[in-house]
Amino acid sequence: MTECFYERGLMMSSSTIGIFGGGQLGRMLALAARVMGYRSVSLDPGEDCPGSQVTDVHVVAAYDDLGAAEELAERSDFVTYEFENVDAAAIERIAELKPVFPSPSVLRVCQDREIEKTLMREMGIGVPEFRVVRSVEEAKSAVEAIGVPVVMKTTRWGYDGKGQSVVRDAGDAGLAFEGLGGSDDAPVIVEGFVDFAMEVSVVCARDMAGEMRTFPVSENVHVGGILDTSIVPARCSDEVKAEAERVAMRIAEGLDVRGLIAVEMFVTREGEVLVNELAPRPHNSGHYTIEGCVTSQFEQLARIMVGMPMGDVSLRSPTVMVNLLGDVWEAADGSPDWGAVLGMAGAHLHLYGKSGWRVGRKMGHITVCGETVEEALRVARAAREAAMGR
Ligand SMILES: Nc1ncnc2c1ncn2[C@@H]1O[C@H](COP(=O)(O)OP(=O)(O)O)[C@@H](O)[C@H]1O
Ligand SMILES: [Mg+2]
């Protein structure tokens, strides 16, 4: 009896991972942590958010509620955040109490496209031509200097293509700046439009000792600014892949990342790699690692946080992930045919447990591992079509 009680006590003293945010990334992290016997706590304003359905304890609170942030820290041994558009003050408060992965200084860089791109440029890392503007006049002269087409983006709070507009006619520069709410306090970044051959990303894991492992390069297809498909191995040359990995590792090292950093990049038609943006967390383009790699991006983050050795990041087989946006629900009159998806050999269905669908909302994804990347791509696309009843 005593022995049994002792064992249970041991189990309960295992580390607890705190997750700021309760979306699908937090949910998948909590699932990976639980497999290894760790506990998790989440914080999110949503009572029944995707993360809360999986974590041991869920704190319902606004992201800027410092008292709640302290509670999350108190209930955790180590803390991470699952999105970068958070009030930095809350994360800084948590970091005073418990180790945060990656540190608030990394978060500060990734929260602001001006700081992020300026730092890349200072590090000698290729980025699209850009200028940061704070008035209509500055916007006009930046568009003149860079030359249309350009992409204008808010420097903060953008995600899934939100807070962006493509300007094809220089005469629209002022309108676009105003449309994005640009002002002296709300700067806008004007970027040259990259006529890329492909988009790729690399999730780089870096542990407390500074050891790094990069997950295989993913080729990403975006539709309407939102990730649609990830294809691994990316269908580019080995040189481009090696360069993408090298860039990701330079950034992870340069920012002194402890945890994960995802680097989104453009590959130009000349084979040059340009950094688009950074995310200091697991990434949608890394969901393929759950079935595709020996260790998933979520398990890797959990291992790093609790101070365990990093896992093998090798690809098991060619893998393709397709996102399931609310659009799938719309096409299927509200009830997608999951039976048709699960009836397809090799299709793995992930649904995030979100209560309501909306066009453009990330609701889940399908991953397919195949003998070849072409086969995996064909099956993954067919599975999504099948969900829509096509
Ligand atoms: N300078 C650019 N040139 C060409 N396409 C771009 C550029 N910037 C963004 N895009 C397209 O828009 C997508 C979303 O932009 P991104 O900067 O990654 O913002 P978000 O934070 O919304 O993901 C990119 O993945 C890419 O497809
Ligand atoms: Mg992006």
Side-chain angles (χ1 to χ4, degrees):
M1 227 19 225
T2 320
E3 203 174 312
C4 181
F5 193 72
Y6 174 65
E7 274 181 19
R8 184 157 181 270
L10 249 189
M11 267 183 67
M12 289 180 68
S13 72
S14 105
S15 298
T16 300
I17 290 178
I19 308 168
F20 195 92
Q24 62 269 17
L25 299 173
R27 177 189 179 95
M28 289 183 269
L29 174 60
L31 286 168
R34 174 160 290 177
V35 168
M36 294 183 288
Y38 300 113
R39 295 168 57 83
S40 60
V41 188
S42 48
L43 181 156
D44 193 279
E47 226 166 284
D48 185 38
C49 59
S52 72
Q53 297 163 12
V54 177
T55 51
D56 298 273
V57 177
H58 180 57
V59 179
V60 181
Y63 299 131
D64 59 0
D65 180 338
L66 291 185
E70 283 170 12
E71 187 184 342
L72 179 76
E74 274 151 20
R75 289 177 176 274
S76 313
D77 296 301
F78 312 96
V79 180
T80 189
Y81 40 89
E82 55 132 38
F83 57 116
E84 56 275 20
N85 290 333
V86 298
D87 186 355
I91 302 298
E92 276 158 17
R93 179 69 193 117
I94 293 171
E96 286 166 7
L97 305 169
K98 295 287 161 65
V100 172
F101 295 75
S103 71
S105 61
V106 176
L107 176 65
R108 268 194 300 274
V109 171
C110 302
Q111 273 184 332
D112 188 312
R113 294 187 196 273
E114 179 176 16
I115 301 174
E116 187 175 87
K117 286 228 163 59
T118 305
L119 185 69
M120 294 300 104
R121 196 156 63 183
E122 282 168 11
M123 288 171 72
I125 289 170
V127 288
E129 189 179 357
F130 75 92
R131 282 200 191 186
V132 176
V133 299
R134 291 178 162 76
S135 67
V136 167
E137 291 64 44
E138 284 180 13
K140 284 180 179 164
S141 56
V143 174
E144 286 287 313
I146 294 172
V148 288
V150 298
V151 186
M152 291 181 42
K153 305 176 184 176
T154 56
T155 54
R156 296 174 69 93
W157 312 115
Y159 70 98
D160 285 348
K162 293 180 182 66
Q164 299 195 9
S165 76
V166 178
V167 176
R168 299 188 187 279
D169 182 335
D172 296 338
L175 222 64
F177 177 81
E178 284 170 345
L180 292 171
S183 74
D184 205 26
D185 302 325
V188 164
I189 189 163
V190 182
E191 291 178 14
F193 189 92
V194 181
D195 178 28
F196 52 77
M198 100 174 26
E199 288 189 82
V200 297
S201 60
V202 173
V203 175
C204 180
R206 188 164 178 270
D207 70 11
M208 293 304 287
E211 196 201 321
M212 290 188 278
R213 296 209 178 157
T214 55
F215 285 96
V217 181
S218 169
E219 170 185 346
N220 302 320
V221 180
H222 291 83
V223 176
I226 307 179
L227 182 66
D228 180 81
T229 307
S230 289
I231 302 163
V232 192
R235 295 167 298 175
C236 56
S237 70
D238 289 348
E239 290 72 27
V240 167
K241 278 183 219 159
E243 175 62 8
E245 286 174 6
R246 203 178 63 85
V247 164
M249 285 196 283
R250 276 190 62 200
I251 294 171
E253 198 149 52
L255 295 180
D256 196 17
V257 170
R258 304 297 151 116
L260 303 182
I261 186 138
V263 183
E264 296 180 19
M265 291 165 267
F266 300 122
V267 181
T268 68
R269 297 188 185 278
E270 293 73 43
E272 198 187 351
V273 170
L274 302 176
V275 169
N276 173 33
E277 65 169 348
L278 312 178
R281 52 170 170 80
H283 196 259
N284 193 169
S285 68
H287 291 358
Y288 82 87
T289 61
I290 296 176
E291 291 89 6
C293 294
V294 176
T295 307
S296 78
Q297 61 172 348
F298 302 102
E299 178 176 340
Q300 197 75 305
L301 175 58
R303 285 175 180 236
I304 293 170
M305 289 178 76
V306 302
M308 288 288 160
M310 284 194 286
D312 180 357
V313 290
S314 308
L315 191 67
R316 291 177 191 268
S317 68
T319 304
V320 170
M321 183 232 53
V322 290
N323 264 343
L324 297 171
L325 303 183
D327 309 48
V328 172
W329 276 248
E330 189 184 53
D333 292 330
S335 52
D337 187 354
W338 303 129
V341 175
L342 293 169
M344 294 177 80
H348 298 276
L349 177 64
H350 295 252
L351 294 174
Y352 306 147
K354 294 186 183 179
S355 46
W357 62 268
R358 204 174 52 236
V359 167
R361 189 177 197 200
K362 289 175 178 172
M363 302 293 294
H365 68 267
I366 296 170
T367 303
V368 175
C369 303
E371 290 290 318
T372 64
V373 81
E374 290 75 21
E375 185 214 343
L377 186 56
R378 185 179 53 73
V379 176
R381 285 186 171 151
R384 184 167 57 184
E385 291 287 308
M388 293 188 281
R390 291 176 186 162

